[in-house]
Amino acid sequence: MADLPEDLSGVGTHRGNDPASETGQTVRSPTGPDPNATEAQPAPALFVVVQAASGDRLSIRAHSARADVSAPEDGEEVGRYRTVEALRRGLAGVEMDADVAVFEDAEADRVLVEDDVSADHAWIGKPRYPRITLFQDSDAAHAFAEAHDRPTPHP
C-alpha cells in the first residue's frame, strides 16, 4: 500500500454499488465459415465488361485481380466480376444478342474470330485471352479483327 497517493486513506472499504451479475443484454457472435468447407481461393482476375458508346459491341477485359481499373472513357461499364462463373452469369443477363466474338490471343499474338459464341464459351475467362470483343454482326467482327491483327515481330 505504499503506492497510494498521500491524499487518499489507506484504510476503508468500497461503499459503491456492486456490479450486477446479469446485464440483461444478449450478445451474439456471427457464424463463421464452415471449417470443413474448402479453403478460400483468391480471385483469379478482375473482368470488366464495357458496352461501346455506339452500342454495336461489348468488350471484356481481364486485369490482374489487384488492378485499380478506372471507369471506361469510350463506353458504359456493364459490370465488374472477380470469377469466371460471375462473368458468365453477368454476360447471360446482358441485353445483347452477341454471336460473333473476337478473341485476342496473348500467347500466339493474334486475334481469332469465333462464330456462335455464348456466355458459356470455353475460352471466356481464360488468361490466354485478356480481351474479348463481342459483335452482333459477323462482318463488323471480321473488320475489327483485320484492323487489330498486328503480330509483334520476334527477333
Side-chain angles (χ1 to χ4, degrees):
M1 295 287 222
D3 293 52
L4 290 175
E6 293 177 13
D7 60 342
L8 292 178
S9 168
V11 179
T13 60
H14 173 70
R15 300 202 186 262
N17 296 335
D18 289 330
S21 59
E22 289 290 324
T23 62
Q25 295 179 343
T26 303
V27 179
R28 293 187 179 142
S29 175
T31 304
D34 181 6
N36 297 325
T38 59
E39 293 184 19
Q41 300 295 323
L46 170 64
F47 300 101
V48 180
V49 180
V50 176
Q51 177 78 44
S54 61
D56 64 343
R57 68 180 179 261
L58 193 69
S59 176
I60 304 165
R61 298 280 322 246
H63 301 277
S64 165
R66 294 181 181 222
D68 184 22
V69 180
S70 59
E73 295 178 10
D74 58 341
E76 179 184 343
E77 185 173 306
V78 175
R80 292 178 182 224
Y81 308 97
R82 295 273 178 192
T83 65
V84 176
E85 294 80 25
L87 172 63
R88 291 179 190 280
R89 284 192 305 271
L91 289 175
V94 172
E95 293 287 332
M96 182 176 178
D97 188 21
D99 38 356
V100 181
V102 177
F103 291 87
E104 294 183 19
D105 187 344
E107 290 180 22
D109 199 20
R110 63 181 176 164
V111 295
L112 303 166
V113 179
E114 279 286 313
D115 295 328
D116 197 27
V117 174
S118 70
D120 296 322
H121 194 280
W123 293 357
I124 292 177
K126 299 287 183 189
R128 181 174 181 157
Y129 308 102
R131 184 178 197 169
I132 304 165
T133 308
L134 304 170
F135 291 88
Q136 295 174 343
D137 181 39
S138 179
D139 293 336
H142 285 282
F144 180 83
E146 288 176 19
H148 289 82
D149 192 5
R150 298 183 188 116
T152 308
H154 297 285

